Amino acid sequence: MARANKIDISPRRTMMQESRGDRIFHGLMIALTITTFIVIIYPLWFVVIASISNSDLVNQGKVTFMPVDIRFYGFQQIMQDSRIWLGYRNTIFYVVVGTILNMAITMPAAYALSRPDFKARNPVMMYFVFTMYFSGGLVPTYMVVNKLGLINTPWILIVMVAINTYNLIIARTFIQNTIPNDLYESAMLDGANHFTIFWHIVLPLSKAIIAVEILYYAVFHWNDYFNALIYTSGAEVQPLQMVLRRILLQNEAFASGNGGVQGGYAQSSADQVKYAVIIVSTVPILLVYPFVQKYFEKGVMIGAVKG
């Protein structure tokens, strides 16, 4: 009887010990999550309150959690600056047109490389993967772009990264592992060719990965400033990120309403403008990201398995 009691009680103790350990683990995860959230959100919140606070007080460290001596000078200057809106227009153009071109190349290439009847798919894939580790270098690339006459044109920021190898891999992996071969075989028995299969079968069944690819490419085009820095010089073709860079690093004067240039701001005013520009340039992507976060996570999981 005593032995039976021990057999009955020990599993209960084990369950209680496991439950206590789970509670401790969950508590630690919650604490870590909250700490990480605070570490990430506070710099963003500080930029917001600094953009509407007296910059002298910000520089003196008197602005910590709430705005002090609220003023909207930075946002007023942005509303009057034509360069900001020109940069916005250029960036939106690059995001829309560039993403359309990226998808028009990535999805057909992913479909072709996912087909086992494409005998050269492994060698072709090796050429793509090779570019992930080795490139021609900045100077040779610049010389090629210059010979093509694309320097200081909007098209260089669209065609410069027409396809991303990592995005190609995750799209190919999704199509290869998700769409069953039976669909291809039945479609071919009905007389469908590869274009019909791709348009009527592959694309409708690949909405999740299409959303992931659009997100990846759109974020890349929105944040891309290096290519604009290297290959463009005219303000009429430069994206918003270049305008932001000039304001943050060079402290340029804002353009006046009649096209002239005013004198530089005092340091306090310039700082307030900088914070306001950061907000204006990041708000659109911050508003869109929560709605596509689940697709972003799905893309990470798909890309983790490169079968």
Side-chain angles (χ1 to χ4, degrees), residues 55-104:
S55 293
D56 292 331
L57 300 179
V58 174
N59 295 330
Q60 295 172 11
K62 296 182 179 180
V63 177
T64 54
F65 297 103
M66 298 299 294
V68 180
D69 189 13
I70 296 178
R71 55 184 66 182
F72 297 94
Y73 176 81
F75 291 100
Q76 292 173 355
Q77 295 301 317
I78 289 175
M79 295 298 294
Q80 299 172 4
D81 185 5
S82 60
R83 294 185 306 169
I84 295 290
W85 305 113
L86 179 61
Y88 252 118
R89 188 198 69 181
N90 293 338
T91 296
I92 293 174
F93 174 77
Y94 298 144
V95 169
V96 174
V97 179
T99 303
I100 291 175
L101 176 63
N102 296 143
M103 297 304 298

Side-chain angles (χ1 to χ4, degrees), residues 186-206:
S186 61
M188 290 180 179
L189 290 175
D190 292 336
N193 55 28
H194 285 290
F195 292 100
T196 303
I197 294 174
F198 174 74
W199 188 260
H200 294 285
I201 296 179
V202 174
L203 289 183
L205 295 178
S206 303

Side-chain angles (χ1 to χ4, degrees), residues 137-206:
L138 180 60
V139 174
T141 303
Y142 184 90
M143 295 173 64
V144 172
V145 173
N146 187 36
K147 287 293 184 180
L148 294 175
L150 296 176
I151 295 295
N152 203 32
T153 65
W155 306 112
I156 182 58
L157 301 181
I158 295 175
V159 303
M160 189 62 191
V161 186
I163 187 171
N164 180 275
T165 303
Y166 176 78
N167 293 344
L168 174 64
I169 291 174
I170 64 173
R172 186 207 63 167
T173 303
F174 179 89
I175 296 174
Q176 183 174 318
N177 297 340
T178 304
I179 302 178
N181 289 327
D182 295 341
L183 290 178
Y184 298 126
E185 294 175 358
S186 61
M188 290 180 179
L189 290 175
D190 292 336
N193 55 28
H194 285 290
F195 292 100
T196 303
I197 294 174
F198 174 74
W199 188 260
H200 294 285
I201 296 179
V202 174
L203 289 183
L205 295 178
S206 303

